[in-house]
């Protein structure tokens, strides 16, 4: 950790202590570079502003000598564009200071795990991009980080819910990375993507000759995940008959390969996910109630992007740095019009949609700044209700106003905010975008009004 403020360094060290990792703290860029001559770290947390040189200078020298060491910048909110520039020069990502304990632990766990996978040539294409869905400092995401931090070391099953594109598999990997099973396999199986007649074989494996095309014995996801984590994505799509076999496997830890009479026993931790309401699926007969109670031990809901305040901008900047580096482009910032549009937009496809939008922009355009005309439809079109706040600006003119008509400023503000929320059908982040304030500001004001 390269941090020149001793109190901040000590605080962040205390945050990371539960991870059981060895942390070396230095206060200058020169000390950081010299320390690399004695020991190569698994990860570098690098402050952007240092007393003797810039974080960019340190990054350049680190990458010359140790190109495979991941570097995460720590920066203030106003220096995000510099952090994005650093990503183009090889930094993996950035954290906004001040950083909450749970967020810091989750980020460090993910970064070290990802670096380990890259060293073992075990990372999927675009792995760096996957982690962009797990960025954000909003109050809704802080709750997610706290749950991960608390539940990761347990063997209890975790059931993740959330809309498509919110990062459920990223969340599952973060839980695995923070667990005691992090050195063992993380195996994911998508129950909706595999044909009904093949999913049992994918889950439990098969023996040679079990069915047409089974030319050899094959290990299934359950066996591959032994000692580690088995992630069952879109679990509610699983056939009811196979749900019965899955329940038996969860209860006993034993299973049979397709075509075999032998029982195998494994030790796995279950994480499940769905974009549906699992209890509603139970009520409508598509998901076994006993399986629901067996797996729904620790519920974890991932909020949609539209409910995450200004996380969309933080995620977008991180994606911009990664994609610009990958595509050999020089983009480092967004115009204010783009920032406003991103905050106002509903993002029905969540983080996955944001990834696709930015990939389109970076591939098809050139420059340092993303402008509104570069965005694909519908984001480049005028936002519906863009001037909504103007409707509530002044309903009474000064000429018609008597002293007794004057109301406290907070009441005028309350009326404007409540009107905007009503027009936006109760969507506070959207109303905040039209009112040109942060959603967190509105949440705070509502809380204050409720106490008056």
């Amino acid at each position: 950790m390269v941090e020149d403020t001793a109190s901040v360094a000590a605080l962040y060290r205390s945050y990371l202590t539960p991870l059981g990792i060895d942390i070396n703290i230095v206060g200058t860029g020169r000390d950081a570079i010299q320390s690399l001559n004695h020991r190569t770290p698994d990860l570098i947390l690098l402050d952007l502003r240092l007393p003797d040189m810039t974080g960019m200078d340190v990054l350049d020298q680190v990458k010359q000598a140790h190109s495979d060491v991941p570097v995460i910048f720590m920066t203030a909110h106003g220096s995000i564009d510099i952090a994005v520039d650093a990503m183009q020069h090889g930094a993996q990502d950035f954290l906004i200071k001040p950083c909450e304990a749970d967020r810091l632990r989750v980020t460090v766990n993910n970064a070290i795990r990802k670096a380990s996978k890259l060293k073992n040539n075990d990372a999927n294409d675009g792995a760096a991009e996957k982690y962009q869905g797990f960025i954000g400092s909003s109050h809704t995401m802080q709750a997610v980080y706290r749950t991960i931090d608390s539940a990761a070391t347990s063997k209890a099953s975790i059931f993740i819910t959330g809309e498509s594109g919110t990062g459920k598999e990223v969340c599952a990997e973060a839980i695995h990375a923070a667990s005691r099973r992090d050195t063992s396999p993380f195996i994911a199986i998508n129950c909706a993507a595999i044909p009904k007649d093949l999913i049992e074989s994918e889950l439990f494996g098969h023996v040679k000759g079990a069915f047409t095309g089974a030319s050899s014995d094959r290990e299934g996801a359950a066996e591959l995940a032994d000692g580690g984590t088995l992630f069952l994505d879109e679990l509610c799509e699983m056939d009811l008959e196979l749900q019965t076999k899955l329940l038996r496997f969860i209860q006993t830890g034993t299973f049979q390969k397709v075509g075999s009479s032998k029982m195998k026993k494994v030790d796995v931790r279950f994480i499940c996910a769905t974009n549906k309401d699992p209890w509603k699926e139970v009520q409508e007969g598509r998901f076994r109630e006993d399986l629901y109670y067996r797996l729904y031990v620790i519920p974890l809901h991932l909020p949609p992007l539209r409910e995450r305040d200004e996380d969309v901008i933080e995620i977008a900047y991180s994606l911009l740095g990664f994609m610009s580096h990958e595509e050999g482009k020089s983009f480092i910032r967004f115009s204010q019009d783009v920032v406003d549009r991103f905050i106002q937009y509903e993002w029905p496809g969540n983080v996955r949609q944001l990834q696709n939008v930015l990939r389109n922009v970076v591939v098809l355009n050139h420059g340092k700044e993303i402008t509104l005309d570069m965005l694909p439809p519908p984001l480049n079109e005028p936002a519906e209700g863009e001037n909504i706040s103007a409707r509530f600006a002044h309903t009474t003119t000064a000429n018609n106003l008597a002293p007794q008509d004057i109301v406290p400023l907070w009441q005028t503000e309350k009326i404007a905010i409540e009107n905007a929320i009503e027009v936006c059908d109760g969507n506070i982040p959207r109303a905040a975008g039209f009112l040109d304030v942060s959603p967190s500001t509105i949440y705070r004001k509502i809380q204050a009004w409720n106490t008056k």
Side-chain angles (χ1 to χ4, degrees):
M1 184 188 304
V2 190
E3 169 61 61
D4 64 310
T5 305
S7 58
V8 173
L11 179 64
Y12 286 173
R13 181 201 284 274
S14 70
Y15 286 172
L16 296 173
T17 297
L19 300 184
I21 55 178
D22 183 16
I23 305 168
N24 179 33
I25 298 175
V26 295
T28 67
R30 193 173 306 281
D31 287 343
I33 294 165
Q34 289 178 351
S35 70
L36 295 177
N37 296 326
H38 308 291
R39 188 179 182 190
T40 303
D42 297 303
L43 175 70
I44 297 175
L45 292 174
L46 178 59
D47 194 7
L48 193 58
R49 300 182 185 278
L50 297 168
D52 59 336
M53 61 177 70
T54 68
M56 289 288 289
D57 293 332
V58 177
L59 174 66
D60 289 340
Q61 295 198 44
V62 168
K63 288 301 174 183
Q64 286 175 20
H66 303 277
S67 60
D68 59 338
V69 175
V71 177
I72 294 180
F73 267 92
M74 298 185 292
T75 180
H77 200 281
S79 303
I80 290 182
D81 55 341
I82 303 175
V84 172
D85 190 30
M87 291 178 68
Q88 293 179 338
H89 287 80
Q92 179 175 301
D93 218 324
F94 63 87
L95 281 167
I96 303 295
K97 295 169 69 177
C99 188
E100 298 286 342
D102 305 297
R103 167 77 190 282
L104 182 62
R105 282 194 286 266
V106 169
T107 300
V108 168
N109 260 322
N110 277 343
I112 291 176
R113 174 173 163 76
K114 184 183 143 199
S116 175
K117 289 175 69 177
L118 287 170
K119 285 181 181 178
N120 296 326
N121 297 317
D122 190 31
N124 295 324
D125 291 339
E129 189 170 329
K130 281 176 61 180
Y131 286 90
Q132 311 304 324
F134 231 59
I135 290 172
S137 306
S138 63
H139 69 283
T140 52
M141 284 305 293
Q142 294 302 332
V144 172
Y145 299 137
R146 283 193 296 273
T147 301
I148 291 174
D149 203 37
S150 301
T153 54
S154 167
K155 194 186 174 181
S157 299
I158 296 180
F159 210 126
I160 306 170
T161 56
E163 296 178 7
S164 293
T166 49
K168 294 186 287 294
E169 184 170 350
V170 175
C171 181
E173 288 218 42
I175 294 167
H176 176 74
S179 74
R180 298 186 183 97
R181 298 169 176 261
D182 62 319
T183 56
S184 299
F186 173 88
I187 304 297
I189 182 169
N190 189 319
C191 301
I194 303 169
K196 176 182 173 182
D197 54 344
L198 292 179
I199 191 167
E200 184 177 359
S201 171
E202 289 292 322
L203 183 57
F204 297 128
H206 63 252
V207 297
K208 182 178 179 180
F211 51 83
T212 303
S215 57
S216 62
D217 289 1
R218 184 179 186 277
E219 292 183 334
E223 193 169 0
L224 292 170
D226 190 15
T229 302
L230 179 59
F231 175 56
L232 301 171
D233 197 9
E234 304 303 343
L235 179 63
C236 291
E237 302 294 332
M238 182 179 284
D239 181 69
L240 281 169
E241 183 179 344
L242 186 56
Q243 288 182 30
T244 304
K245 296 182 179 180
L246 176 62
L247 177 63
R248 190 184 311 119
F249 170 46
I250 294 168
Q251 290 172 331
T252 66
T254 61
F255 66 92
Q256 288 176 290
K257 288 186 175 184
V258 176
S260 173
S261 59
K262 295 181 179 179
M263 301 295 294
K264 291 189 73 75
K265 188 173 181 66
V266 293
D267 171 31
V268 299
R269 198 262 182 93
F270 294 95
I271 302 178
C272 308
T274 181
N275 60 8
K276 298 181 178 179
D277 179 346
W279 181 242
K280 184 178 180 181
E281 295 298 299
V282 169
Q283 292 176 314
E284 297 184 0
R286 291 187 291 268
F287 193 60
R288 289 182 61 105
E289 186 172 1
D290 46 6
L291 183 59
Y292 170 87
Y293 286 122
R294 177 64 68 165
L295 290 173
Y296 204 80
V297 180
I298 300 176
L300 176 55
H301 180 70
L302 292 184
L305 196 52
R306 62 183 173 274
E307 294 178 6
R308 291 178 55 181
D309 296 353
E310 295 186 12
D311 281 357
V312 61
I313 304 304
E314 196 174 332
I315 297 169
Y317 266 113
S318 185
L319 283 168
L320 183 64
F322 166 68
M323 292 178 180
S324 293
H325 175 69
E326 189 176 70
E327 299 290 345
K329 299 297 181 72
S330 56
F331 290 112
I332 60 171
R333 59 181 173 269
F334 299 100
S335 71
Q336 189 57 47
D337 285 345
V338 171
V339 170
D340 293 341
R341 183 60 48 85
F342 278 4
I343 292 173
Q344 293 167 6
Y345 188 61
E346 290 286 293
W347 297 108
N350 294 295
V351 178
R352 187 179 296 122
Q353 182 186 9
L354 177 59
Q355 289 175 339
N356 293 339
V357 164
L358 289 175
R359 179 69 71 181
N360 172 289
V361 171
V362 171
V363 169
L364 298 180
N365 297 277
H366 300 275
K368 287 189 174 294
E369 183 176 84
I370 303 290
T371 56
L372 202 59
D373 60 291
M374 295 179 182
L375 301 181
L379 282 124
N380 60 356
E381 299 167 359
E384 181 182 350
E386 201 156 27
N387 297 318
I388 201 168
S389 57
R391 303 183 197 179
F392 316 111
H394 294 287
T395 55
T396 308
T397 64
N399 292 334
N400 301 327
L401 203 63
Q404 61 268 26
D405 296 323
I406 299 174
V407 297
L409 182 60
W410 72 267
Q411 290 185 10
T412 304
E413 186 179 55
K414 183 172 184 284
I415 292 169
I417 290 175
E418 288 177 341
N419 284 336
I421 292 173
E422 182 179 353
V423 171
C424 292
D425 298 321
N427 189 318
I428 289 178
R430 187 176 179 219
F434 294 141
L435 291 169
D436 198 25
V437 298
S438 168
S440 58
T441 299
I442 294 184
Y443 287 119
R444 284 197 304 272
K445 289 183 181 297
I446 292 174
Q447 187 176 17
W449 297 331
N450 290 337
T451 60
K452 284 185 182 291

